[in-house]
Amino acid sequence: MPVRLDRQSADFDQRFRDFLAAKREVSADVERATRAIVDDVAARGDAALLEATKKFDRLDVDAAGLRIAAAEIDAAVAACDPGTVEALKFARDRIETFHRRQLPKDERFTDAAGVELGWRWSAVDAVGLYVPGGTAAYPSSVLMNAVPAKVAGVPRVVMVVPAPDGKLNPLVLAAAGLGGVSEIYRVGGAQAVAALAYGTATIAPVAKIVGPGNAYVAAAKRLVFGKVGIDMIAGPSEVLVIADDTGNADWIAADLLAQAEHDVSAQSILITDSARLAADVERAVEAQLATLPRAAIARASWNDFGAVIKVAKLDDAVELANAIAAEHLEIMTADAEALSKQVRNAGAIFLGAHTPEAIGDYVGGSNHVLPTARSARFSSGLGVLDFMKRTSILRCGSDQLRALGPAAMTLGQAEGLDAHSRSVGLRLNLS
Amino acid sequence: MPVRLDRQSADFDQRFRDFLAAKREVSADVERATRAIVDDVAARGDAALLEATKKFDRLDVDAAGLRIAAAEIDAAVAACDPGTVEALKFARDRIETFHRRQLPKDERFTDAAGVELGWRWSAVDAVGLYVPGGTAAYPSSVLMNAVPAKVAGVPRVVMVVPAPDGKLNPLVLAAAGLGGVSEIYRVGGAQAVAALAYGTATIAPVAKIVGPGNAYVAAAKRLVFGKVGIDMIAGPSEVLVIADDTGNADWIAADLLAQAEHDVSAQSILITDSARLAADVERAVEAQLATLPRAAIARASWNDFGAVIKVAKLDDAVELANAIAAEHLEIMTADAEALSKQVRNAGAIFLGAHTPEAIGDYVGGSNHVLPTARSARFSSGLGVLDFMKRTSILRCGSDQLRALGPAAMTLGQAEGLDAHSRSVGLRLNLS
């Protein structure tokens, strides 16, 4: 049974705080083991990578066999259901169109003092894309990571994907082909992250690593952060639905379960001002669970982490939504647009009854890699900017240096940095 | 003596690789100690924070005494040299003007299928700004961190600064006042980072922590990353000067030393196609060192990490510059602008002989918090976007859901996520 909270009840604040603070994932203490693997690959390169791959993925391959050849990718595409490949292409095109609008503009201007200022954006030279193996191998995620990198102009996109017992998901390879991935290697885990960060004889190093993974992958990304860039540390997925009495209980229940079926740690929350709707949704969830293939996972998630929160008015729902900072926020109210404008913290907002999150997961065009576990308070979904960096540009002539220099000299001296001050003074014949 | 490399020599590639790979900082193993401090503050709040402050900063203060009152800030400003405060105001205004141009635009469009898409930027609710105490307490850095946060619209900017033996730098407090900091607490180290991340009875938690610090501060930021956002992990500073025979050896030497005086781990590099200039610069460095107050630090940096690299042509300099990915790149060549356009990896570029880095450090207007240790390959200097996050927005009507839905259902089924597929199908009367 999900948590039931009522904004009007006397103990609501404390219960809501506890609800927010509850951990949904046991963070296994994998740091020490991860560090050993990362250090080993950094020191011994391919030899360590191959040993770890044999040990963890039960895959005995030599260095030449790490890379997945173009013919193997073509064969994978040929083996896929054509309708699914068409759907991936449809998704790819929409993701590309959306992300093209995120390409940033360079800036260059001359201010009143004649100083030239600005910045220039450029793509990261090489990016590594981690793709999990096994059940969490989602071709849609390959597109969501690879396409923005290609739109950004990244010349080299390297994918790593574990092949436990030699097995790979053909759709993942197909998505990599469609997404413009340049190289694919059949390695995973902390060893793959280390190979991307430090490079081996077979895998040239990249400058940034993105993509979700298990606890070892997350720990490895945290360890190599600084040596290379990383994207966010992904946590379990979550959806928050805000609905009023106009909401369709069956549709809402389906959306809550679409989140819950991801993982037992996933979280589905409904906030509503309608006690009638709340009860109807709970009933509909039970009814739909009865026929859901992944019912065991979805039920565990819903019972352990699901929540139905009753509020007196929708403004209260907004306040709670900003505290929850959900990865996905669906708003199904009479005026969803107006309500959405009060939301500050959310990864993505899905407006109206006909925008189930699943559309955004696959074919809407916006990115489905979004901040989880309340991190929408400080971070954004994946986008083109994550694959670019900004170089600032400054140019003074002698007149401008004369105008700005004295203040710089004053501050250099105030900070005890005389060489700073001198570097200006020499040019102005002041020192 | 700095390293001398010649691009034409037979062993250049290997020597350059070694040069790039050389570590400039001993990374002390502070992780265990840091974790203990962070966990203690997370668990015991103010009590742990006060104990750590007494232990590490020798400052015995109660919870009420942690916050620095407005009157204390006013008194600090009054005690500062008025000319320096004026210079800080000049810098503040230029930083604000520059960063206003970085404010991102929201996007909202309707595509050919009638799907409404877009995104909205919003400021982070609360930001923590770490400011080091002691010799590295730079009022300019307070401005460089606080002003972009205020431009972004962050309502609450909380500064923490250690007060070893009770001492604070009045200019740092003055800069905080000028920069629009909302609250200041006299705490530092890992304990201050933990207080910002987890909150205590006295310090409400923030959503993101920025600012440089020592090894403990860096380790603490790495630990709380995920719970809150963090900026980059700052390393020792570096400058790369590319100059041709038109370069002024004295000015270049002054700029190299301005970098070197920061820290014994700082790095100053000259790349030139002129053997004459290279020799002149080395001589000028020695001459200027003789009278530099921080000569001991600057000489250690120059001798241990400085480098003079001779190239046959300036195109080679660009190639090396992209590999070095310097925090600061000064270009003093006949056509600096053209050369700069080939540079992909640099935190900031300073064009022409009259743009010493010190101008950018203080009063240029662009941010002086820039990616160090080759991280300009994948990250940008601090800016307004670091204090904002993007929420994506998606809206379908029933027609759009009919157009996009089938592909989403296909992909949901292909990924084994039937509830995803159902959430669309139910709305289309397809399931």
Side-chain angles (χ1 to χ4, degrees):
Chain A
M1 196 172 79
V3 177
R4 293 189 187 120
L5 301 177
D6 187 333
R7 180 81 182 79
Q8 305 297 104
S9 70
D11 62 349
F12 177 82
D13 286 352
Q14 183 59 47
R15 290 190 68 197
F16 185 66
R17 261 201 304 275
D18 293 345
F19 171 72
L20 278 187
K23 279 225 167 77
R24 286 186 280 140
E25 272 190 322
V26 182
S27 51
D29 185 15
V30 301
E31 197 177 288
R32 188 178 306 229
T34 303
R35 189 182 286 275
I37 297 168
V38 169
D39 288 350
D40 195 27
V41 173
R44 296 197 300 128
D46 277 343
L49 182 60
L50 293 170
E51 283 172 29
T53 300
K54 187 171 179 183
K55 178 174 173 189
F56 297 113
D57 294 335
R58 300 161 304 281
L59 176 64
D60 195 357
V61 69
D62 63 8
L66 285 179
R67 182 149 177 189
I68 297 175
E72 199 170 342
I73 300 168
D74 293 344
V77 176
C80 293
D81 166 59
T84 307
V85 174
E86 276 312 304
L88 281 175
K89 279 187 190 162
F90 181 74
R92 189 264 322 266
D93 292 346
R94 288 191 59 87
I95 296 165
E96 185 177 326
T97 302
F98 179 88
H99 285 80
R100 285 214 174 281
R101 291 186 178 246
Q102 291 184 341
L103 277 166
K105 286 198 174 59
D106 293 345
E107 175 82 324
R108 191 75 178 262
F109 64 100
T110 304
D111 73 8
V115 182
E116 285 181 56
L117 297 138
W119 57 80
R120 203 174 62 212
W121 289 91
S122 56
V124 173
D125 285 344
V127 166
L129 163 53
Y130 190 94
V131 177
T135 55
Y138 296 136
S140 58
S141 291
V142 174
L143 294 179
M144 292 292 178
N145 281 276
V147 174
K150 295 308 292 182
V151 169
V154 175
R156 180 170 170 254
V157 177
V158 184
M159 184 169 120
V160 292
V161 55
D165 300 307
K167 290 195 184 70
L168 286 165
N169 180 342
L171 280 173
V172 162
L173 296 187
L178 293 174
V181 167
S182 335
E183 304 161 27
I184 313 180
Y185 299 94
R186 58 186 108 237
V187 288
Q191 60 272 21
V193 173
L196 289 170
Y198 290 94
T200 72
T202 302
I203 305 179
V206 301
K208 183 159 186 172
I209 301 175
V210 300
N214 63 18
Y216 292 88
V217 171
K221 282 168 68 180
R222 204 180 274 268
L223 280 175
V224 301
F225 172 49
K227 170 81 182 164
V228 297
I230 62 169
D231 61 347
M232 62 198 88
I233 305 282
S237 199
E238 70 236 352
V239 71
L240 166 60
V241 179
I242 298 179
D244 61 17
D245 202 56
T246 67
N248 180 314
D250 287 333
W251 298 1
I252 293 168
D255 295 356
L256 296 174
L257 287 173
Q259 196 60 45
E261 76 171 341
H262 266 294
D263 192 283
V264 294
S265 303
Q267 183 166 54
S268 304
I269 308 169
L270 169 65
I271 305 183
T272 180
D273 60 353
S274 163
R276 194 272 313 159
L277 182 77
D280 285 353
V281 167
E282 283 203 49
R283 269 190 297 271
V285 164
E286 291 303 322
Q288 293 180 28
L289 271 170
T291 58
L292 194 65
R294 291 167 70 94
I297 292 169
R299 181 176 291 285
S301 159
W302 177 241
N303 284 355
D304 292 347
F305 302 114
V308 176
I309 305 178
K310 171 77 173 58
V311 291
K313 53 187 200 300
L314 290 174
D315 281 350
D316 292 341
V318 171
E319 177 204 340
L320 300 180
N322 280 323
I324 292 168
E327 184 189 10
H328 308 98
L329 171 61
E330 294 186 355
I331 307 182
M332 297 186 230
T333 59
D335 191 349
E337 180 81 34
L339 196 148
S340 78
K341 288 185 174 147
Q342 300 176 64
V343 174
R344 297 188 310 277
N345 299 333
I349 300 179
F350 303 85
L351 290 170
H354 291 90
T355 320
E357 186 210 307
I359 290 295
D361 286 343
Y362 293 123
V363 293
S366 51
N367 209 293
H368 82 197
V369 181
L370 294 165
T372 57
R374 306 189 68 214
S375 62
R377 292 173 300 126
F378 53 81
S379 62
S380 311
L382 197 70
V384 170
L385 293 185
D386 292 297
F387 299 100
M388 305 187 78
K389 61 264 180 342
R390 198 181 55 226
T391 297
S392 62
I393 296 166
L394 186 62
R395 172 172 217 144
C396 294
S398 58
D399 286 352
Q400 289 74 46
L401 188 63
R402 207 165 296 122
L404 268 57
M409 293 178 71
T410 298
L411 291 174
Q413 279 151 8
E415 293 187 349
L417 297 174
D418 292 80
H420 280 62
S421 187
R422 265 194 204 178
S423 71
V424 177
L426 260 184
R427 287 165 163 94
L428 298 177
N429 290 317
L430 294 177
S431 60
Chain B
M1 196 171 79
V3 177
R4 293 189 188 118
L5 302 176
D6 187 332
R7 180 82 181 76
Q8 305 299 103
S9 70
D11 63 348
F12 177 81
D13 285 352
Q14 185 58 47
R15 289 190 69 197
F16 185 66
R17 262 200 303 276
D18 293 346
F19 171 72
L20 278 188
K23 279 226 165 76
R24 287 185 280 140
E25 271 190 324
V26 182
S27 53
D29 185 15
V30 301
E31 197 177 287
R32 189 178 306 230
T34 303
R35 190 183 286 274
I37 296 168
V38 169
D39 288 350
D40 194 27
V41 172
R44 296 196 301 125
D46 277 343
L49 181 61
L50 293 170
E51 283 172 30
T53 299
K54 186 170 178 182
K55 179 175 172 189
F56 297 113
D57 294 335
R58 300 161 303 282
L59 176 64
D60 195 356
V61 68
D62 62 9
L66 286 179
R67 182 150 177 185
I68 297 176
E72 199 170 340
I73 300 168
D74 293 343
V77 177
C80 293
D81 166 59
T84 307
V85 174
E86 276 312 303
L88 281 175
K89 281 186 189 161
F90 181 73
R92 190 264 321 267
D93 292 346
R94 288 191 59 89
I95 296 165
E96 185 177 327
T97 301
F98 179 87
H99 285 79
R100 284 212 174 282
R101 291 184 177 247
Q102 291 184 340
L103 277 165
K105 286 199 175 56
D106 293 346
E107 175 81 325
R108 190 76 177 264
F109 64 100
T110 304
D111 72 9
V115 181
E116 284 180 59
L117 296 138
W119 57 81
R120 204 174 60 212
W121 289 92
S122 56
V124 173
D125 285 345
V127 166
L129 163 53
Y130 190 92
V131 176
T135 54
Y138 296 136
S140 58
S141 291
V142 174
L143 294 180
M144 292 292 178
N145 281 277
V147 173
K150 295 308 292 183
V151 169
V154 176
R156 179 169 170 254
V157 177
V158 184
M159 185 171 120
V160 292
V161 54
D165 301 306
K167 290 195 183 68
L168 287 165
N169 180 341
L171 279 173
V172 162
L173 297 186
L178 293 173
V181 167
S182 332
E183 304 161 25
I184 313 179
Y185 299 93
R186 60 187 107 235
V187 289
Q191 60 272 21
V193 173
L196 289 170
Y198 291 93
T200 71
T202 302
I203 305 179
V206 300
K208 183 158 187 173
I209 301 175
V210 300
N214 64 17
Y216 291 89
V217 171
K221 282 168 68 179
R222 204 180 273 267
L223 282 176
V224 300
F225 171 50
K227 169 80 183 168
V228 297
I230 63 169
D231 61 348
M232 63 198 87
I233 304 281
S237 199
E238 70 239 351
V239 72
L240 166 60
V241 179
I242 299 179
D244 62 15
D245 202 56
T246 66
N248 180 313
D250 286 333
W251 298 2
I252 293 169
D255 295 357
L256 296 173
L257 286 173
Q259 196 59 46
E261 75 171 341
H262 266 294
D263 193 281
V264 293
S265 304
Q267 183 164 53
S268 304
I269 308 169
L270 169 66
I271 304 183
T272 180
D273 60 355
S274 163
R276 194 272 313 160
L277 182 76
D280 285 354
V281 168
E282 283 203 48
R283 270 191 296 273
V285 165
E286 291 304 322
Q288 293 180 27
L289 270 170
T291 57
L292 193 64
R294 291 167 71 94
I297 293 170
R299 180 176 291 283
S301 158
W302 178 241
N303 285 355
D304 293 346
F305 302 113
V308 176
I309 305 178
K310 171 76 173 55
V311 290
K313 53 188 198 302
L314 290 175
D315 280 350
D316 293 341
V318 171
E319 177 203 341
L320 301 179
N322 280 324
I324 292 169
E327 183 189 10
H328 308 100
L329 171 60
E330 293 188 354
I331 307 182
M332 297 185 230
T333 59
D335 191 349
E337 181 81 33
L339 196 148
S340 78
K341 288 185 174 147
Q342 301 176 63
V343 174
R344 296 187 312 278
N345 299 334
I349 300 178
F350 303 84
L351 290 171
H354 290 91
T355 321
E357 186 209 309
I359 290 294
D361 287 343
Y362 293 123
V363 294
S366 50
N367 209 292
H368 83 196
V369 181
L370 293 164
T372 57
R374 306 190 66 215
S375 61
R377 292 173 301 127
F378 55 80
S379 62
S380 310
L382 197 69
V384 169
L385 293 185
D386 292 298
F387 299 101
M388 305 186 79
K389 62 262 180 345
R390 195 181 59 225
T391 297
S392 62
I393 297 167
L394 186 62
R395 173 173 216 142
C396 292
S398 57
D399 288 351
Q400 289 73 46
L401 188 63
R402 207 165 297 122
L404 269 55
M409 292 177 72
T410 298
L411 292 174
Q413 278 151 10
E415 293 187 349
L417 298 174
D418 293 79
H420 280 61
S421 188
R422 264 194 205 178
S423 72
V424 176
L426 260 184
R427 287 166 164 94
L428 297 177
N429 290 317
L430 294 177
S431 60

